[in-house]
Amino acid sequence: VITEAWVRLQEIPRWRASTSLRFACFSDGAEAVRRISQAGLFPSNCCLLDEAESHWRGLDSRGGAMPVVGCESADYPVAASMVRAMALLQPNATEPAAIVYNDTQQDKPATTDGAAGQWRNAFLRMPYYRNRLVACGIIVDTFDTAVTWDRWQAMYSAVVAGMQASISEITGQSGRVACRFTHVYPDGPALYFSFFALGSKSGDLRSALDKWRQLKVQANHLVVSLGGTITHHHAVGRDHRSGYEIQSPSLYRSILAAAKADLDPQGILNPGVLIDPIGRRVGSSGILADS
């Protein structure tokens, strides 16, 4: 129960710099961004797109993986940080890359050029594309997780293969699965998967939603069984609850339920999103019923 909150303010960045490189494969790019995460550079942006993701977004049609790295600051130039980042990235890259610098006044919006700018624009439009495609019977969704560096490659390979097999089994059609690192930490990366599948040839929304639910359950199972967190930054809620209940102790969940019984005795605050109110259950329709 939140009763008070503080807001942290910071100056709008004036100095910005970004770069993107091409790697022959996802694992080469992963090794490069791992070095950055463990070097103490703390870039404002450090993403890594696998071959499928970089091709879909129109960033590289040659089949390579692509990292996008950026630094920014409100009070000092970031050239030194970017030069060091390039030194860590370049050994694995298949071709040299340039750094795009952007020095702006603090009261003017910054412009973003190059592949980093293309990626930013595509990223902001993704949710809108998904809504349009679902209405046409096309399943488009994402799920994320976090895992340690020693386990990421097994996780990546198994999830991509498992989701492609599930799409084929559930929809009867071949699908597409892609991945990117949205965040990198000294301990490991956050893997963000996207998948596309045909839910209904006739555009039947009900059929597409039913297949989407089945695919979501499969994704949750894969992530948890391979040792990843059920989510990195998408929160839990109904979509990820099946994995959350596997990863969280039953005692912990019963303590939350007991606290909720005192704070929300009528069970009206998000019933069934994380836990069911004591003595009641939430059906698939979201309607409360006596247990």
Side-chain angles (χ1 to χ4, degrees):
V1 177
I2 300 171
T3 60
E4 185 177 3
W6 291 79
V7 177
R8 176 188 296 166
L9 301 178
Q10 61 187 40
E11 295 289 341
I12 297 174
R14 174 179 176 182
W15 287 276
R16 292 181 172 90
S18 62
T19 189
S20 60
L21 296 85
R22 181 175 178 271
F23 290 84
C25 62
F26 198 38
S27 59
D28 284 350
E31 175 61 21
V33 296
R34 180 195 63 78
R35 290 197 296 264
I36 287 180
S37 71
Q38 295 176 348
L41 289 177
F42 304 110
S44 57
N45 183 28
C46 186
C47 300
L48 175 66
L49 286 64
D50 74 356
E51 297 87 337
E53 184 85 16
S54 63
H55 178 68
W56 288 355
R57 307 309 171 194
L59 302 179
D60 194 332
S61 60
R62 295 166 294 176
M66 177 177 291
V68 177
V69 178
C71 294
E72 61 184 26
S73 174
D75 60 1
Y76 63 90
V78 294
S81 296
M82 286 302 299
V83 168
R84 179 56 185 155
M86 286 293 291
L88 296 171
L89 290 168
Q90 201 71 57
N92 291 71
T94 59
E95 58 190 30
I99 301 174
V100 177
Y101 290 100
N102 194 325
D103 182 1
T104 67
Q105 298 298 317
Q106 292 191 10
D107 58 349
K108 295 182 180 180
T111 57
T112 309
D113 301 315
Q118 288 180 259
W119 162 243
R120 177 182 180 277
N121 291 335
F123 177 79
L124 293 175
R125 289 175 170 82
M126 285 177 200
Y128 303 98
Y129 295 152
R130 182 188 67 175
N131 294 345
R132 284 178 173 270
L133 290 172
V134 168
C136 299
I138 300 174
I139 300 171
V140 183
D141 204 357
T142 62
F143 59 97
D144 65 338
T145 184
V147 71
T148 51
W149 285 112
D150 61 325
R151 303 167 85 173
W152 83 262
Q153 198 153 11
M155 155 94 53
Y156 168 73
S157 299
V159 168
V160 170
M163 286 304 296
Q164 287 176 334
S166 295
I167 290 170
S168 178
E169 178 183 352
I170 292 170
T171 70
Q173 306 287 328
S174 60
R176 297 291 184 269
V177 183
C179 180
R180 64 182 182 272
F181 291 176
T182 57
H183 303 73
V184 293
Y185 306 99
D187 312 282
L191 285 75
Y192 189 107
F193 294 92
S194 303
F195 64 90
F196 297 77
L198 181 62
S200 171
K201 292 183 178 180
S202 63
D204 183 352
L205 183 59
R206 185 182 296 275
S207 174
L209 287 174
D210 179 63
K211 292 171 183 175
W212 165 78
R213 290 188 184 95
Q214 296 180 58
L215 289 171
K216 196 69 174 178
V217 170
Q218 291 294 323
N220 289 349
H221 174 74
L222 279 168
V223 163
V224 173
S225 66
L226 292 165
T229 61
I230 185 57
T231 180
H232 173 255
H233 59 275
H234 277 181
V236 180
R238 294 184 178 93
D239 285 356
H240 302 119
R241 181 171 165 177
S242 62
Y244 162 78
E245 290 182 342
I246 295 173
Q247 292 193 324
S248 60
S250 59
L251 176 60
Y252 172 75
R253 297 197 306 276
S254 66
I255 291 171
L256 284 182
K260 184 176 176 65
D262 276 346
L263 296 168
D264 181 23
Q266 301 301 316
I268 62 173
L269 299 177
N270 291 331
V273 172
L274 196 62
I275 53 175
D276 293 330
I278 293 177
R280 309 166 86 184
R281 63 179 176 81
V282 179
S284 60
S285 63
I287 299 174
L288 281 169
D290 293 334
S291 59

